[in-house]
Amino acid sequence: MKAISHRGNLKGEKTPLENSPDYIIEAINRGFDVEVDVWFTDGLCFGHDKPEHKCSMNFLVGNSDKLWIHCKNLAALQMLNGIPSLNIFWHEQDDFTLTSKGFIWTYPDKEVCSNSVIVVDDATKYNGKKCYGLCSDNVI
């Protein structure tokens, strides 16, 4: 199963660093995919609850093979939709949502299949059903 760093976290939540470009790159350089939160307001920004860290389209496209882009507002979804290299999705508390690359982003404790990516507390201790990937703040 693929381990996906949640907002750049590798060993627990580090809220001040989450979704910052350097933190994301650090996780990618350690071999992980990263789920990132992206907004579009006055430009592209990373941030969970609000836009916090400026990012560029070049950053997203240049790292597209490692990013799982959670669009946080309609403007981000509209802007990034249709860029073939990007793997984007939008959800809040939906049981399932389909990413633009055809993966099933799955809310915790819901049914899974071989194409599911599930959000878990600790990927290193997961012993549930086989799925495509695990997104967690704890991946090492």
Side-chain angles (χ1 to χ4, degrees):
M1 279 180 272
K2 180 178 285 291
I4 302 167
S5 163
H6 186 232
R7 305 180 195 144
N9 293 319
L10 299 174
K11 285 184 165 183
E13 290 183 35
K14 294 190 175 56
T15 305
L17 299 173
E18 292 177 353
N19 281 308
S20 66
D22 290 342
Y23 198 53
I24 294 164
I25 290 297
E26 181 182 333
I28 289 172
N29 287 342
R30 302 238 356 229
F32 295 95
D33 282 13
V34 182
E35 182 271 344
V36 296
D37 299 316
V38 175
W39 298 79
F40 183 76
T41 52
D42 293 329
L44 287 166
C45 293
F46 293 118
H48 178 63
D49 293 320
K50 64 183 183 206
E52 295 181 83
H53 308 279
K54 291 282 185 192
C55 75
S56 68
M57 185 66 76
N58 286 341
F59 185 94
L60 297 178
V61 171
N63 294 291
S64 61
D65 61 326
K66 293 290 191 178
L67 297 178
W68 297 73
I69 302 170
H70 179 184
C71 296
K72 298 297 279 190
N73 64 351
L74 179 59
L77 187 61
Q78 183 178 17
M79 174 179 235
L80 301 178
N81 185 40
I83 300 173
S85 63
L86 300 181
N87 189 20
I88 67 170
F89 64 98
W90 180 91
H91 83 110
E92 283 188 347
Q93 293 181 356
D94 314 33
D95 290 354
F96 311 100
T97 194
L98 195 60
T99 77
S100 60
K101 296 281 186 181
F103 294 95
I104 302 168
W105 196 266
T106 306
Y107 200 73
D109 301 319
K110 300 298 177 185
E111 188 177 359
V112 300
C113 65
S114 63
N115 208 35
S116 296
V117 173
I118 58 175
V119 179
V120 296
D121 289 330
D122 190 336
T124 67
K125 296 179 181 175
Y126 180 77
N127 63 358
K129 288 188 176 181
K130 191 163 178 97
C131 60
Y132 180 81
L134 303 171
C135 179
S136 178
D137 292 315
N138 297 289
V139 291
I140 57 174

